[in-house]
Amino acid sequence: MLRIISTVVLLSLAAQAQKTDNPYPSMAPLDQYLIADRNTEIALARSAAPTSIAEKAEVMVLERQGYKTAVKGTNGFVCIVERSWTAGFGDPEFWNPKIRAPICFNPPAVRTYLPITIARTRLALAGKSETQMLEAINSALDKKELPALEAGAMCYMLSKQGYLGDQAGHFHPHLMFWAERTEPKSWGAGMPGSPMIGGEEIPGRLTVFLIPVGKWSDGTSDSHDEK
């Protein structure tokens, strides 16, 4: 999301610079964010990671009350399809109902980053505004109602089927890594010749790093790289 810094955040940085209006000023009707067929959502979530990981991962699907476990896992990974409200705060597509971002979290991210995604979703479904959501997340972090980020938290976003936004489209297959707030250049992000992208996911709280890779989860090459 590429911009969804979680999901969805990073990739939208360029789009934000280009856009002066906001085509998605508020949340659309909930039905526009839901996937009617449960099995379709499960398959889409699993497409985020290689089969060797996804087939043994827990899968959660979005229902009207929030994310619910649809398939039990055995390897500690969790795969879901993120919606637009996991984008960076201030992203012009924060409420874009077309966004579908398959993502598969590793165990450290499941324990310490996925709770943020679940909390954001709960707030969105409760009708909170983007500003109210940010305030609530910051308050929960201050009160330690959400866990501190664990070292090694990362995710796979290798799905061909995802739609990460009107600007990003399907984007590229990539990995993302989270860290407590840090200077992106300390990881080499944004340096000449570096493939790594870095930016703030939650202002003043978390930094996210994105590394494009050459293949989708099914093993085929990223066609963007072939053009």
Side-chain angles (χ1 to χ4, degrees), residues 45-118:
R46 282 178 163 159
S47 71
T51 300
S52 59
I53 294 172
E55 68 181 357
K56 296 179 181 179
E58 178 177 326
V59 180
M60 302 181 76
V61 299
L62 182 63
E63 299 181 354
R64 291 184 176 277
Q65 298 76 32
Y67 281 103
K68 303 294 183 183
T69 298
V71 179
K72 294 288 186 180
T74 60
N75 63 1
F77 283 74
V78 173
C79 300
I80 69 172
V81 180
E82 288 187 330
R83 298 330 197 254
S84 59
W85 51 74
T86 59
F89 290 100
D91 189 312
E93 295 190 58
F94 193 87
W95 296 115
N96 183 348
K98 295 175 287 184
I99 286 176
R100 300 289 185 270
I103 184 169
C104 201
F105 302 98
N106 76 337
V110 168
R111 292 188 289 266
T112 61
Y113 184 82
L114 180 57
I116 296 175
T117 295
I118 291 174

Side-chain angles (χ1 to χ4, degrees), residues 23-37:
Y24 308 104
S26 60
M27 187 174 181
L30 178 57
D31 283 344
Q32 294 185 31
Y33 299 92
L34 299 176
I35 297 176
D37 184 77

Side-chain angles (χ1 to χ4, degrees), residues 136-168:
I137 292 298
N138 277 325
S139 176
L141 289 167
D142 287 338
K143 296 176 181 178
K144 302 188 184 305
E145 296 170 350
L146 288 169
L149 187 68
E150 185 176 332
M154 60 82 63
C155 70
Y156 289 81
M157 297 190 75
L158 309 180
S159 177
K160 277 183 177 178
Q161 290 76 49
Y163 183 79
L164 303 182
D166 297 342
Q167 296 295 317

